[in-house]
Coordinates of all heavy atoms in Angstrom, one line a residue:
A1333 N -58.1 119.4 87.6 CA -59.1 119.9 86.5 C -60.0 118.8 86.2 O -61.3 119.0 86.1 CB -58.3 120.4 85.3
A1334 N -59.5 117.6 86.0 CA -60.4 116.4 85.6 C -61.4 116.1 86.8 O -62.5 115.8 86.5 CB -59.5 115.2 85.3
E1391 N -100.0 134.3 64.3 CA -100.1 132.8 64.4 C -98.7 132.3 65.0 O -98.7 131.3 65.7 CB -100.4 132.2 63.1 CG -101.8 132.4 62.6 CD -102.1 131.7 61.3 OE1 -101.4 130.7 61.0 OE2 -103.0 132.2 60.5
A1406 N -86.0 137.8 82.4 CA -86.2 138.4 83.7 C -85.7 137.6 84.9 O -85.0 138.2 85.8 CB -87.7 138.7 83.9
N1425 N -81.0 151.5 73.9 CA -81.6 151.4 75.1 C -81.0 152.2 76.2 O -81.7 152.7 77.1 CB -81.7 149.9 75.5 CG -82.7 149.1 74.8 OD1 -83.7 149.6 74.3 ND2 -82.4 147.8 74.5
T1452 N -65.0 155.1 83.5 CA -64.2 153.9 82.9 C -65.2 153.1 82.0 O -64.8 152.0 81.6 CB -63.6 153.1 84.0 OG1 -64.7 152.5 84.8 CG2 -62.7 153.9 84.9
V1491 N -77.7 158.5 87.3 CA -76.3 158.0 87.4 C -76.3 156.7 86.5 O -77.1 155.8 86.7 CB -75.9 157.6 88.8 CG1 -74.5 157.1 88.8 CG2 -76.0 158.8 89.7
V1496 N -70.3 145.4 85.7 CA -68.9 144.8 85.6 C -68.1 145.6 84.6 O -68.6 145.9 83.5 CB -69.0 143.4 85.2 CG1 -67.6 142.8 84.9 CG2 -69.7 142.5 86.2
P1507 N -76.0 147.0 94.9 CA -76.9 147.3 96.0 C -76.5 148.6 96.7 O -77.3 149.5 96.9 CB -76.8 146.1 96.9 CG -76.4 145.0 96.1 CD -75.4 145.6 95.1
G1517 N -81.9 161.1 96.0 CA -83.1 161.5 95.2 C -82.9 161.3 93.8 O -83.7 161.8 93.0
R1537 N -85.0 143.3 93.8 CA -84.6 143.3 95.3 C -83.9 144.5 95.7 O -84.1 145.1 96.8 CB -83.7 142.0 95.5 CG -83.2 141.9 97.0 CD -82.3 140.8 97.1 NE -81.6 140.7 98.4 CZ -80.6 139.9 98.7 NH1 -80.1 139.1 97.8 NH2 -80.1 140.0 99.9
P1595 N -99.4 150.7 78.0 CA -99.2 150.5 79.4 C -98.0 149.6 79.7 O -97.6 148.8 78.8 CB -100.5 149.9 79.9 CG -101.0 149.2 78.6 CD -100.6 150.0 77.5

Side-chain angles (χ1 to χ4, degrees):
E1391 294 183 24
N1425 285 332
T1452 63
V1491 180
V1496 174
R1537 177 183 173 193

